[in-house]
Amino acid sequence: MTAPPTERTPTLADVARRAGVSTATVSRCLNTPDRVIEETRNRVLQAVRDLGYSPNFGARALAAKRTNTIGAVIPTMENAIFARGLQAFQEELRLKGITLLVASSSYRAELEEEQIRTLVARGADGLFLIGAHRDPALYDFLNRRGIPTLVAWVHDPNAPVPTIGFDNHSAMLDLARRVIADGHRHIGVISAEQAGNDRARARVAAIRAAMDEAGLDPDALSLVETAYGIDEGAAAFEALMQRTPRPTVVMCGNDVLAVGAMGRAKEMGYDVPGDVSITGFDDIELAKVCSPGLTTVHVPHRQMGTRAARALISMVSEGTPGQGQRLDTRVVLRGSLGPPRA
Amino acid sequence: MTAPPTERTPTLADVARRAGVSTATVSRCLNTPDRVIEETRNRVLQAVRDLGYSPNFGARALAAKRTNTIGAVIPTMENAIFARGLQAFQEELRLKGITLLVASSSYRAELEEEQIRTLVARGADGLFLIGAHRDPALYDFLNRRGIPTLVAWVHDPNAPVPTIGFDNHSAMLDLARRVIADGHRHIGVISAEQAGNDRARARVAAIRAAMDEAGLDPDALSLVETAYGIDEGAAAFEALMQRTPRPTVVMCGNDVLAVGAMGRAKEMGYDVPGDVSITGFDDIELAKVCSPGLTTVHVPHRQMGTRAARALISMVSEGTPGQGQRLDTRVVLRGSLGPPRA
């Protein structure tokens, strides 16, 4: 497609002129189409198409001083970790005619900040972010600009914005207690980098807490930090299995790492869970598909996305401060966890 | 966070005043920071932060009449089908300081159109879309607005915009020939809905073409169309296996459907590939992780994303019409395909 000299952006008045109706009728067609007879509506919509008029930038936005756009920044689009929750979030926005624009920060704080500023500059009515930990100056910026912001994937009543999510600490604590109850004493952990990732920090701390309450030494935890990825999980698993004492269970910070660990275990000739148990976190599709199935923590992703959307919509449209919500997780037992060999 | 009355959007001049420098120095700090001494740069960046100034909306955009934002619309964020290519696309944009905003259309044409119009209204400098098939009026709109647009996931020299991708027909033809060479005569196919999905149509047509050239009746193909999803793949597989003649191989339109089919095959007590072979398309992580491994078509997702980014950047920055590119795919043989039982 060649790019000819750009035409003037068409206005509501241009649409009205072309359709032979008043601008008020065009507005009604776009905002309350049921109140316009079909023939007129069709003529107006044809004019909208002919002129390439963008209603979002026209009547609706001017009328409400809003763009009907919500921005989201998620840490990654890979591996579907955030996809299901985000999909539910978008479906709920959709019911209100709101478009979702998403940026992906590769778990990098400085990139997230840039993306947040871009979304604000591009007119986002509100923001949806993952995890509450970020530079207070950034929260200040959003506050000064009056951009309603909501955080998901954690529940933290002390965060500067409403959070809708689960308690990462108690979610992982449940799983760690179960692992220890199965008889495991030498626990390996593969975690995302804890610095700047409040979810990862809470999950590792929970495993140490479970060890402590069972009379095990929390400092004996054998920990590797790595990026979230299947290959990274595999490499970290191999490193852990060369340490002394060799762990009898490897608890992973998410399902993606765990699936990588499971693949490498097979390649190294280990039986799972006979030689070594492996656990995950999230309960994404991968956890059900791999063999044996992955014992993990089920996170109510869709519920989280839907509730976050409803809360953010009311923050944007009613100007309310918004209310955090805590959702429950549960341990899902599948074949990858068993007692250690005597 | 409460939403106080919104302050006036800070300008370049506000930043200059606060930092005690000229507006030209602020521009230099934002555009060519290497040409500004560190002390000055730090003072300016501090002022940018203090005021919550968004450089994207300020000097850079005004200077170049650009926003340094590229918009993408992908059919879905679930199941990581588009994630790897999009990640590579974003990484390449990143090198040029361009922010990517993504919308997800749930494979719905009317939603895609709305998202495209929103991205244009929000000032996207260029658009990245999946598949070439869409309402010509939409291409006209983009052309009139002078928005450089590039399509990936297909290569189609006749499309109205440059396409960077692979030939879906020849990619699936390679796999279908291999399946037939293994001795399969009763072929089941699970496809996405073909209407409005040029990739799905090309893949099904290729299987029929391979049957035809092998002297099989293309109309004997046993086809189920469904949404892309693991559960949908499972249900479609079950339906296919109840038909007469029962297929000895089920070729799936993508890996997600195939993994669903594989899971249901196990539940129904079928040995894969002893009782029935299963194939996929894409070669995403799932294909390697499932057991047996999935025979599929490897798509060079990262390469596609990187090249698409480079082409679109030059379309945007140099105003060139852009050039399509065809990438090669290859069949990856894993355990899920074998000869049918005699």
Side-chain angles (χ1 to χ4, degrees):
Chain A
M1 183 167 75
T2 56
T6 307
E7 285 172 17
R8 184 173 63 85
T9 302
T11 65
L12 193 74
D14 295 333
V15 174
R17 203 171 307 120
R18 185 172 185 109
V21 301
S22 70
T23 52
T25 299
V26 176
S27 289
R28 262 196 303 279
C29 278
L30 298 173
N31 295 310
T32 51
D34 298 347
R35 290 171 52 203
V36 182
I37 63 168
E38 193 182 346
E39 195 194 316
T40 307
R41 195 166 65 222
N42 289 341
R43 212 160 61 229
V44 169
L45 294 180
Q46 188 57 48
V48 164
R49 274 174 175 275
D50 291 347
L51 295 171
Y53 174 72
S54 287
N56 275 345
F57 204 49
R60 265 192 259 171
L62 290 174
K65 301 230 184 209
R66 289 208 298 271
T67 61
N68 284 318
T69 309
I70 293 280
V73 184
I74 60 173
T76 180
M77 291 186 188
E78 295 203 76
N79 298 315
I81 303 170
F82 299 99
R84 219 183 326 159
L86 200 67
Q87 179 69 26
F89 182 78
Q90 166 161 332
E91 285 166 16
E92 195 66 26
L93 294 186
R94 182 79 204 113
L95 298 177
K96 305 283 181 189
I98 298 169
T99 299
L100 175 66
L101 298 181
V102 183
S104 155
S105 69
S106 306
Y107 289 93
R108 285 166 53 195
E110 79 285 6
L111 195 47
E112 190 202 43
E113 174 164 349
E114 199 176 302
Q115 292 169 332
I116 288 172
R117 288 174 184 273
T118 296
L119 284 163
V120 170
R122 301 284 103 233
D125 293 330
L127 288 183
F128 174 74
L129 305 175
I130 306 295
H133 176 91
R134 52 183 58 80
D135 189 344
L138 190 51
Y139 283 119
D140 284 347
F141 163 71
L142 293 171
N143 194 27
R144 279 202 308 279
R145 286 295 188 90
I147 308 289
T149 301
L150 186 134
V151 153
W153 256 264
V154 294
H155 176 64
D156 177 358
N158 300 317
V161 299
T163 56
I164 295 191
F166 49 97
D167 182 323
N168 280 271
H169 189 279
S170 76
M172 190 58 113
L173 187 65
D174 285 347
L175 178 59
R177 282 175 176 159
R178 173 70 207 216
V179 162
I180 293 169
D182 265 1
H184 291 281
R185 294 295 170 266
H186 301 301
I187 300 178
V189 171
I190 307 176
S191 171
E193 246 191 80
Q194 294 180 74
N197 185 332
D198 49 8
R199 289 92 66 211
R201 262 198 318 273
R203 294 175 198 177
V204 172
I207 299 172
R208 291 196 205 273
M211 293 173 77
D212 196 32
E213 70 182 21
L216 304 175
D217 176 10
D219 293 334
L221 189 81
S222 190
L223 177 74
V224 174
E225 291 192 355
T226 186
Y228 281 139
I230 290 193
D231 294 342
E232 287 78 3
F237 174 84
E238 187 164 348
L240 278 176
M241 295 302 278
Q242 278 150 11
R243 293 191 184 167
T244 307
R246 206 175 74 190
T248 59
V249 60
V250 174
M251 300 186 69
C252 302
N254 76 3
D255 290 347
V256 174
L257 292 172
V259 164
M262 199 119 78
R264 186 58 54 90
K266 266 184 218 171
E267 287 165 22
M268 294 173 77
Y270 289 118
D271 175 56
V272 177
D275 297 318
V276 59
S277 287
I278 294 175
T279 66
F281 197 104
D282 281 334
D283 199 23
I284 60 174
E285 297 292 0
L286 278 174
K288 291 170 219 168
V289 163
C290 62
S291 177
L294 187 65
T295 288
T296 188
V297 174
H298 179 81
V299 174
H301 291 107
R302 286 197 60 88
Q303 189 187 34
M304 190 160 59
T306 303
R307 293 198 184 181
R310 285 180 193 156
L312 186 54
I313 288 168
S314 86
M315 288 165 70
V316 167
S317 62
E318 289 149 37
T320 53
Q323 191 115 49
Q325 292 175 50
R326 178 177 163 167
L327 306 176
D328 293 325
T329 58
R330 63 186 159 79
V331 171
V332 178
L333 295 172
R334 299 197 183 94
S336 71
L337 174 64
R341 281 216 176 104
Chain B
M1 184 167 72
T2 56
T6 307
E7 284 173 17
R8 184 174 63 86
T9 303
T11 64
L12 193 74
D14 295 332
V15 175
R17 203 171 307 120
R18 186 175 185 107
V21 300
S22 69
T23 52
T25 299
V26 177
S27 288
R28 262 196 303 279
C29 278
L30 298 173
N31 295 310
T32 50
D34 297 348
R35 291 171 52 203
V36 182
I37 63 168
E38 193 182 346
E39 196 194 315
T40 307
R41 196 166 64 222
N42 289 341
R43 212 160 62 228
V44 169
L45 293 180
Q46 188 56 50
V48 164
R49 275 173 174 276
D50 291 346
L51 294 172
Y53 174 72
S54 287
N56 275 345
F57 204 49
R60 264 193 259 172
L62 290 174
K65 302 233 182 207
R66 289 209 299 270
T67 62
N68 284 319
T69 309
I70 293 280
V73 184
I74 61 174
T76 179
M77 290 186 189
E78 295 202 74
N79 298 315
I81 304 171
F82 298 99
R84 218 183 327 158
L86 200 67
Q87 179 69 26
F89 182 78
Q90 166 161 332
E91 285 166 15
E92 195 66 26
L93 295 185
R94 183 78 205 113
L95 299 177
K96 305 282 182 189
I98 298 168
T99 299
L100 176 66
L101 298 182
V102 182
S104 155
S105 69
S106 306
Y107 289 93
R108 286 166 53 195
E110 78 284 6
L111 195 47
E112 190 202 44
E113 174 164 348
E114 200 175 303
Q115 293 169 331
I116 288 172
R117 287 175 185 272
T118 296
L119 284 163
V120 170
R122 301 285 103 233
D125 293 330
L127 289 183
F128 175 74
L129 305 174
I130 306 295
H133 176 90
R134 52 182 58 80
D135 188 343
L138 191 51
Y139 284 119
D140 284 348
F141 163 71
L142 294 170
N143 194 26
R144 279 202 307 279
R145 285 296 187 88
I147 309 290
T149 301
L150 186 135
V151 153
W153 256 263
V154 295
H155 176 64
D156 177 357
N158 300 317
V161 299
T163 55
I164 295 191
F166 49 98
D167 182 322
N168 280 271
H169 188 280
S170 75
M172 190 58 112
L173 187 64
D174 285 348
L175 179 59
R177 283 175 175 159
R178 173 70 206 217
V179 162
I180 292 170
D182 266 0
H184 292 282
R185 294 295 170 265
H186 302 301
I187 300 179
V189 171
I190 306 176
S191 171
E193 247 192 79
Q194 294 180 75
N197 185 332
D198 49 8
R199 289 92 65 210
R201 263 199 316 275
R203 294 175 198 177
V204 172
I207 298 172
R208 292 196 204 272
M211 293 174 78
D212 197 32
E213 71 180 21
L216 304 175
D217 175 11
D219 293 333
L221 189 82
S222 190
L223 177 74
V224 174
E225 291 192 354
T226 187
Y228 281 139
I230 290 193
D231 294 342
E232 287 78 3
F237 175 84
E238 186 163 350
L240 278 176
M241 295 301 278
Q242 277 150 9
R243 293 192 184 166
T244 308
R246 206 176 73 190
T248 58
V249 60
V250 174
M251 300 185 68
C252 301
N254 77 4
D255 290 347
V256 174
L257 292 172
V259 164
M262 200 119 79
R264 186 58 54 90
K266 265 183 219 170
E267 287 165 23
M268 294 173 77
Y270 290 117
D271 175 57
V272 177
D275 297 319
V276 58
S277 288
I278 294 175
T279 66
F281 197 104
D282 282 333
D283 198 23
I284 60 175
E285 297 292 0
L286 279 174
K288 292 169 219 168
V289 164
C290 62
S291 177
L294 187 65
T295 288
T296 188
V297 174
H298 179 81
V299 174
H301 291 107
R302 286 197 61 88
Q303 188 187 33
M304 190 160 59
T306 304
R307 292 198 184 182
R310 285 179 193 158
L312 187 54
I313 288 168
S314 86
M315 288 166 70
V316 167
S317 62
E318 290 149 36
T320 53
Q323 191 116 48
Q325 292 176 48
R326 178 178 162 165
L327 306 177
D328 293 325
T329 57
R330 63 186 159 78
V331 171
V332 178
L333 295 173
R334 298 198 183 95
S336 72
L337 174 64
R341 282 218 176 103

